[in-house]
Amino acid sequence: INQVDEEVKASSGLILSAESASDLRYRKGIVVEKGTDVEFIDKDKEIYYDARAGHSMLIEGKSYTIIKEHDVVVVL
């Protein structure tokens, strides 16, 4: 997936710093390609996934995050 950096606002309307936002449990991403055993998530879908899941890889000079299907929380 490609991680999507979101501007995170508190309920009071304050924009959280990157440090505070990194404490959130879930991150947003866009599916670049799905694995062979993935059934319910398609390419180009926006998802929310567990921020502690997966690992990053550098492929042809671009960074991607590789996660397992069960780490996906929401498919938009």
Side-chain angles (χ1 to χ4, degrees):
I1 62 172
N2 281 331
Q3 291 182 4
V4 176
D5 293 325
E6 294 185 284
E7 185 177 83
V8 181
K9 290 185 181 182
S11 59
S12 63
L14 293 173
I15 297 174
L16 299 177
S17 69
E19 230 175 70
S20 296
S22 69
D23 292 338
L24 296 175
R25 171 91 191 242
Y26 302 108
R27 302 234 22 207
K28 186 176 183 179
I30 298 177
V31 178
V32 175
E33 194 62 57
K34 66 180 191 172
T36 55
D37 295 332
V38 176
E39 296 181 29
F40 302 106
I41 304 168
D42 293 321
K43 182 178 177 178
D44 297 326
K45 289 287 189 178
E46 288 185 359
I47 61 169
Y48 281 91
Y49 63 96
D50 189 331
R52 294 171 278 189
H55 59 278
S56 295
M57 289 184 69
L58 197 59
I59 302 172
E60 295 180 4
K62 186 163 172 130
S63 179
Y64 296 97
T65 301
I66 312 301
I67 62 170
K68 294 181 180 179
E69 184 177 24
H70 72 267
D71 291 321
V72 175
V73 180
V74 176
V75 178
L76 302 174

